[in-house]
């Protein structure tokens, strides 16, 4: 069985991420969405909240996939889970340099795990979690950028911050 991992902070998960998930599923037998618990990175939502939003988003899309939390080196996690491929999304040239550097380091740490770069569909190429958070924090419409459950959580979080 070919196991793939799609790691990220997913703060929050967007329709661009969902696009990569849907397409990555065609390439592996089992796909794990791995939510990074990075204590050094400030996030709007905690790891459990992000995991729950991903579960809800997948359910909205009719998908039932494993969503897990991880910390530490991604290749160590991938090795423990028996993964043979790591999926990474690339939106623009600016993403490439960082992602390429990370892919080369991961390859050095474990040459058996392949990294597959996937570009999202054109309609999502500009989309990032940070952009979605910023628009939502300013009261803008994000319902066409994220699933319904994520839009509700974002609006709820930022409306409570404004009080």
């Amino acid at each position: 069985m070919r196991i793939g991992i799609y790691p990220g902070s997913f703060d929050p998960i967007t329709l661009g991420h969902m696009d990569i998930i849907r397409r990555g599923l065609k390439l592996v037998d089992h796909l794990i969405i791995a939510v990074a618990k990075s204590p050094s990175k400030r996030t709007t939502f905690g790891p459990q909240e992000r995991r729950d939003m991903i579960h809800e988003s997948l359910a909205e899309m009719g998908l039932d996939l494993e969503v897990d939390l991880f910390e530490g080196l991604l290749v160590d996690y991938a090795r423990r889970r028996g993964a043979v491929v790591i999926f990474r999304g690339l939106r623009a040239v600016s993403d490439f340099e960082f992602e390429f550097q990370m892919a080369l380091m991961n390859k050095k740490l474990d040459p058996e795990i392949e990294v597959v770069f996937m570009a999202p569909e054109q309609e999502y190429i500009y989309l990032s979690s940070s952009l979605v958070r910023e628009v939502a924090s300013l009261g803008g419409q994000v319902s066409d950028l994220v699933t319904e459950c994520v839009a509700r959580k974002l609006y709820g979080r930022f409306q409570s911050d404004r009080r």
Side-chain angles (χ1 to χ4, degrees):
M1 179 160 68
R2 289 175 316 178
I3 298 172
I5 293 180
Y6 182 33
S9 56
F10 304 107
D11 187 39
I13 192 164
T14 69
L15 293 180
H17 294 125
M18 295 299 292
D19 177 59
I20 299 294
I21 290 168
R22 239 189 327 266
R23 292 175 34 237
L25 276 170
K26 297 175 187 176
L27 304 175
V28 293
D29 302 309
H30 181 73
L31 181 62
I32 301 166
I33 314 308
V35 180
K37 293 192 320 183
S38 178
S40 63
K41 188 172 182 180
R42 277 186 51 115
T43 58
T44 300
F45 298 99
Q48 299 289 350
E49 289 176 295
R50 289 180 277 140
R51 185 176 72 179
D52 292 346
M53 280 191 285
I54 294 168
H55 270 297
E56 288 181 59
S57 295
L58 290 167
E60 282 183 32
M61 303 294 225
L63 298 172
D64 182 21
L65 300 175
E66 182 178 354
V67 182
D68 195 14
L69 301 174
F70 84 97
E71 56 188 322
L73 285 175
L74 176 58
V75 292
D76 289 344
Y77 175 75
R79 200 178 301 122
R80 282 193 309 272
R81 297 307 310 268
V84 295
V85 65
I86 295 170
F87 292 103
R88 296 298 297 162
L90 287 179
R91 293 177 308 246
V93 173
S94 57
D95 288 345
F96 181 77
E97 187 174 345
F98 172 77
E99 292 294 343
F100 188 64
Q101 186 177 27
M102 292 299 293
L104 291 174
M105 179 55 75
N106 286 334
K107 194 61 147 168
K108 179 173 179 26
L109 294 171
D110 192 329
E112 297 301 311
I113 300 173
E114 294 297 333
V115 176
V116 173
F117 295 119
M118 296 180 80
E121 292 294 333
Q122 192 171 355
E123 63 191 291
Y124 305 122
I125 202 83
Y126 67 94
L127 192 54
S128 70
S129 295
S130 56
L131 187 58
V132 167
R133 285 192 316 270
E134 184 172 350
V135 170
S137 74
L138 297 171
Q141 183 65 256
V142 296
S143 59
D144 58 340
L145 308 174
V146 295
T147 59
E148 288 180 35
C149 68
V150 172
R152 281 192 310 273
K153 300 261 190 208
L154 281 164
Y155 294 141
R157 174 64 42 97
F158 291 119
Q159 283 190 353
S160 67
D161 287 352
R162 288 190 191 144
R163 293 179 189 153

